[in-house]
């Protein structure tokens, strides 16, 4: 799965530091940069007391990281993995339920139980290696979201499996920050959690936020810009984390069905959704699905939009963002009909 610690910025916040935004009376701006979840995070808020909101947001980021990081002996995920069963908070149980629901809808393209295979490739501890077929075959037997059960907040795993919520943790966290902004009378805000972007409302000047969608072949350039409000924008791409061995490049987005880096014919998938958790999970899922299955899935659900670039440099966007996406490159618009 994405083990998606987006250490390079998938999105650069083009208008994040635009001067003149704070031109309304009684409106204060505050920004913050923190390091958590193994990545740099940027937070910006406008309102009557943005500093308080950002204090609460930072506390929430740290709380969630401590709760979900599987290497933390005090985390609920660590306890589940160590014992095969654990009583967890309602919040964690609900998030695992959400992950399993995405797995069901994507026919297993997203699977938080891919963890042992991710470890086998070395993408967790950075001791990269190509596993032999025997080890990979044995490890794949531990991967199956259907073997995760949740009852009365007790999470149980079968067959020595392990889980990791890194594939949706940042999207979940940005959703929680949006709730904090709302409760603390923030009028406008934007967060980038290691490249996972989510906007709260519009900019103070009432324009939509404008972000750049990164070129997967060149991290210093963009394939286009996207205007958003009250939306999350999250990208998965093989260029985020990879290693080379014997002249072959292996990226970190593992197909749960094969145990190998996905070969779906796409370079990057960007999901746009009101729900950050959903966007995070679907960005990995559609990367593994490939273009045609992604189109079919979108038509069946219609609760998100996407931008996909293929291995042959073709760009496809869904019709819901056609008025908000701008590019000097050629692209095709996918419609429902």
């Amino acid at each position: 799965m994405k083990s998606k610690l987006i250490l390079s910025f998938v999105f650069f916040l083009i208008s994040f530091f635009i001067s003149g935004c704070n031109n309304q009376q009684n409106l204060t701006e505050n920004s913050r940069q923190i390091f958590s979840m193994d990545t740099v995070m940027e937070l910006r808020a406008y309102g009557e007391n943005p500093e308080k909101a950002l204090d609460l947001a930072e506390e929430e980021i740290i709380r969630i990281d401590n709760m979900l990081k599987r290497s933390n002996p005090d985390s609920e995920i660590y306890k589940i993995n160590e014992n095969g069963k654990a009583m967890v908070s309602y919040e964690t149980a609900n998030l695992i339920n959400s992950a399993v629901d995405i797995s069901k809808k994507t026919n297993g393209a997203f699977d938080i139980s891919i963890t042992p295979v991710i470890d086998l490739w070395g993408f967790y501890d950075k001791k990269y290696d190509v596993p032999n077929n025997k080890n990979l075959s044995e490890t794949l037997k531990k991967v199956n979201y259907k073997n995760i059960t949740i009852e009365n907040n007790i999470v149980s795993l079968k067959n020595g499996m392990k889980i990791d919520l890194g594939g949706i943790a940042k999207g979940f966290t940005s959703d929680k920050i949006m709730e904090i902004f709302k409760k603390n009378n923030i009028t406008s805000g934007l967060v980038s959690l290691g490249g996972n972007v989510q906007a709260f409302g519009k900019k103070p000047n009432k324009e939509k936020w404008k972000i750049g969608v990164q070129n997967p072949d060149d991290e210093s350039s963009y394939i286009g810009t996207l205007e958003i409000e009250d939306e999350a924008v999250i990208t998965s791409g093989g260029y985020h984390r990879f290693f080379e061995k014997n002249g072959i490049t292996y990226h970190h987005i593992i197909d749960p069905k094969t145990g190998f880096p996905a070969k779906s014919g796409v370079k990057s998938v960007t999901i746009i959704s009101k729900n950050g958790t959903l966007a995070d999970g679907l960005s990995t899922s559609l990367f593994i699905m490939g273009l045609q299955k992604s189109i079919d899935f979108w038509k069946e659900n219609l609760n998100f939009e996407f931008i996909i670039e293929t291995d042959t440099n073709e760009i496809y966007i869904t019709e819901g963002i056609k008025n908000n996406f701008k590019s000097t490159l050629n692209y095709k618009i996918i419609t429902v009909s």
Side-chain angles (χ1 to χ4, degrees):
M1 203 163 39
K2 48 186 167 299
S3 192
K4 198 176 63 164
L5 309 174
I6 309 184
L7 299 178
S8 61
F9 287 119
V10 180
F11 296 95
F12 182 78
L13 310 183
I14 291 178
S15 55
F16 203 84
F17 298 103
I18 288 183
S19 61
C21 279
N22 184 21
N23 56 7
Q24 297 183 4
Q25 291 184 346
N26 302 320
L27 188 63
T28 303
E29 70 169 292
N30 203 297
S31 63
R32 189 162 306 177
Q33 183 181 92
I34 66 172
F35 186 86
S36 186
M37 300 184 181
D38 299 317
T39 193
V40 176
M41 299 183 173
E42 307 270 357
L43 292 79
R44 180 165 290 259
Y46 300 81
E48 295 180 2
N49 190 2
E51 185 172 1
K52 176 186 175 183
L54 293 185
D55 285 343
L56 293 171
E58 184 172 352
E59 291 174 6
E60 183 72 346
I61 290 169
I62 295 170
R63 182 188 72 84
I64 293 172
D65 191 24
N66 289 334
M67 181 177 72
L68 301 181
K69 181 176 285 186
R70 68 182 177 99
S71 62
N72 175 12
D74 295 323
S75 80
E76 296 184 325
I77 303 304
Y78 182 94
K79 293 172 183 176
I80 295 170
N81 288 338
E82 282 296 298
N83 303 310
K85 176 188 288 189
M87 171 77 78
V88 300
S89 63
Y90 170 80
E91 187 176 29
T92 297
N94 192 49
L95 184 57
I96 294 173
N97 255 324
S98 296
V100 171
D101 185 56
I102 294 173
S103 296
K104 291 177 181 177
K105 290 179 178 177
T106 62
N107 193 29
F110 181 83
D111 195 331
I112 59 174
S113 71
I114 192 67
T115 303
V117 178
I118 294 288
D119 291 350
L120 197 63
W121 282 88
F123 283 112
Y124 190 76
D125 60 11
K126 298 182 182 179
K127 297 178 181 178
Y128 305 118
D129 195 17
V130 179
N132 62 54
N133 290 335
K134 182 180 179 180
N135 286 344
L136 186 57
S137 178
E138 287 298 313
T139 305
L140 271 173
K141 294 177 182 178
K142 301 177 182 180
V143 179
N144 191 338
Y145 69 91
K146 295 177 182 178
N147 288 331
I148 303 170
T149 59
I150 307 170
E151 186 173 357
N152 297 324
N153 291 357
I154 297 176
V155 180
S156 300
L157 309 178
K158 296 181 181 179
N159 302 329
M161 66 194 304
K162 296 183 184 297
I163 61 172
D164 188 337
L165 291 174
I168 53 175
K170 293 186 185 69
F172 172 74
T173 302
S174 62
D175 280 338
K176 301 291 282 188
I177 294 174
M178 296 301 105
E179 293 176 10
I180 289 172
F181 282 1
K182 184 176 182 180
K183 291 177 182 177
N184 287 272
N185 300 315
I186 294 302
T187 58
S188 180
L190 191 69
V191 299
S192 172
L193 308 187
N196 289 20
V197 175
Q198 193 154 351
F200 184 81
K202 295 181 179 180
K203 294 191 295 184
N205 62 7
K206 303 306 179 183
E207 294 179 358
K208 291 184 177 182
W209 298 96
K210 183 183 291 185
I211 60 174
V213 182
Q214 188 177 313
N215 181 346
D217 296 320
D218 179 4
E219 294 184 20
S220 65
S221 64
Y222 311 100
I223 63 172
T225 60
L226 185 67
E227 295 183 337
I228 60 170
E229 64 173 304
D230 291 321
E231 290 170 308
V233 183
I234 297 177
T235 293
S236 281
Y239 57 94
H240 290 146
R241 182 178 295 181
F242 61 89
F243 70 94
E244 294 184 5
K245 187 170 184 178
N246 298 326
I248 301 174
T249 299
Y250 300 94
H251 63 72
H252 70 291
I253 305 178
I254 305 297
D255 186 337
K257 291 183 173 60
T258 67
F260 273 83
K263 293 184 178 180
S264 61
V266 302
K267 290 182 181 179
S268 69
V269 174
T270 298
I271 302 294
I272 303 96
S273 172
K274 299 287 185 183
N275 185 315
T277 306
L278 177 67
D280 215 356
L282 289 185
S283 65
T284 294
S285 304
L286 270 61
F287 186 96
I288 292 171
M289 288 180 186
L291 179 62
Q292 190 54 55
K293 288 183 179 179
S294 295
I295 292 172
D296 295 340
F297 183 81
W298 172 74
K299 289 181 178 180
E300 291 171 2
N301 292 273
L302 297 177
N303 58 349
F304 68 95
E305 307 294 336
F306 71 64
I307 303 168
I308 291 179
E309 182 171 3
T310 70
D311 288 345
T312 55
N313 300 319
E314 295 177 304
I315 299 172
Y316 296 83
I317 74 169
T318 48
E319 61 182 337
I321 57 170
K322 64 181 181 181
N323 295 325
N324 296 320
F325 180 73
K326 301 291 186 296
S327 178
T328 58
L329 305 174
N330 293 326
Y331 59 89
K332 299 177 183 179
I333 301 173
I334 306 298
T335 61
V336 176
S337 57

